[in-house]
Amino acid sequence: MTEQQDAYPSMTISTDQSSENIAPIKLGERLKEIRRTLGLTLEEASQKTGLARSTLSKIENEQISPTFQAMQKLTNGLDINIPQLFAAPKKVNTTGRRDITRNELGKSHPTSTYEHELLATQLSNKKMMPFKSLVRARSFDDYSDWIRHDGEEFLLVLKGEITFFSEYYEPVNLSEGDSVYYDANMGHMLASVSEDDALILWVTAS
């Protein structure tokens, strides 16, 4: 029976691009947000823009619409550009998700050259895939082909020493505490060169 070619654990990447209904931009609210972001009081904004404090207050409270001349004074005085006045404020969507994986209690995923321990397995649609791996392979010849997949990858050696092979670079040895960040579409593979199997942390992202 042919042994399965080594590949990294599969990832489920969040690709939700569903559109939301966008409310019309309220210029007054946007101006107030910009002023507060700049740490300015109405009086300070008035001094910078040359617009009366009462005028600024009425604009912010949607009681009047600024003339083009007033908008020029706002952008010049606050050192912003006109498009910024019409840009929708960024929404901060906090999910509050978290997943704790106790030491050595991750999900095991063995292959012929690695012993993977998948971390944070309770979370779906992750944007990163973290896992620890014991590197069983001892040479380049232990692989039938380069490993490559979408995304970017970060590798940190936790214990031992490895040789990091990559398609476009000369092999390099990495010891405990060393790390490498690379394009995972580039062919790559690892081999332990320490007496015991090396232990590494991998984080894959797309």
Side-chain angles (χ1 to χ4, degrees), residues 147-160:
I147 293 174
R148 52 168 61 87
H149 51 88
D150 290 339
E152 296 184 330
E153 200 152 59
F154 174 78
L155 180 160
L156 172 66
V157 181
L158 300 176
K159 184 180 179 182

Side-chain angles (χ1 to χ4, degrees), residues 70-91:
M71 289 177 64
Q72 285 184 311
K73 289 184 177 181
L74 286 170
T75 56
N76 290 335
L78 300 179
D79 194 24
I80 60 174
N81 53 53
I82 287 180
Q84 283 180 268
L85 286 173
F86 295 94
K90 292 183 179 179
K91 287 187 175 180

Side-chain angles (χ1 to χ4, degrees), residues 50-180:
L51 294 172
R53 183 184 184 282
S54 59
T55 300
L56 286 173
S57 178
K58 289 177 181 178
I59 293 173
E60 288 188 357
N61 289 295
E62 309 289 348
Q63 294 175 357
I64 61 172
S65 297
T67 63
F68 182 72
Q69 184 179 18
M71 289 177 64
Q72 285 184 311
K73 289 184 177 181
L74 286 170
T75 56
N76 290 335
L78 300 179
D79 194 24
I80 60 174
N81 53 53
I82 287 180
Q84 283 180 268
L85 286 173
F86 295 94
K90 292 183 179 179
K91 287 187 175 180
V92 178
N93 296 319
T94 303
T95 64
R97 301 200 308 165
R98 80 167 198 180
D99 185 358
I100 295 173
T101 306
R102 298 294 183 184
N103 187 37
E104 299 184 356
L105 293 182
K107 183 178 179 181
S108 177
H109 182 92
T111 71
S112 61
T113 51
Y114 298 110
E115 176 74 32
H116 297 304
E117 182 190 353
L118 310 188
L119 309 174
T121 57
Q122 299 303 310
L123 295 179
S124 61
N125 296 321
K126 293 190 289 291
K127 294 180 180 178
M128 296 184 296
M129 180 67 190
F131 52 105
K132 291 188 292 186
S133 299
L134 280 174
V135 183
R136 305 288 195 196
R138 290 289 167 170
S139 75
F140 184 91
D141 295 332
D142 287 342
Y143 299 84
S144 61
D145 197 359
W146 289 109
I147 293 174
R148 52 168 61 87
H149 51 88
D150 290 339
E152 296 184 330
E153 200 152 59
F154 174 78
L155 180 160
L156 172 66
V157 181
L158 300 176
K159 184 180 179 182
E161 184 177 4
I162 63 169
T163 298
F164 178 77
F165 298 96
S166 54
E167 197 169 8
Y168 306 129
Y169 299 90
E170 290 295 320
V172 60
N173 280 17
L174 300 173
S175 301
E176 184 175 332
D178 292 341
S179 64
V180 57

Side-chain angles (χ1 to χ4, degrees), residues 186-197:
M186 173 180 65
H188 54 278
M189 57 184 68
L190 311 178
S192 285
V193 293
S194 48
E195 184 177 348
D196 296 323
D197 294 335

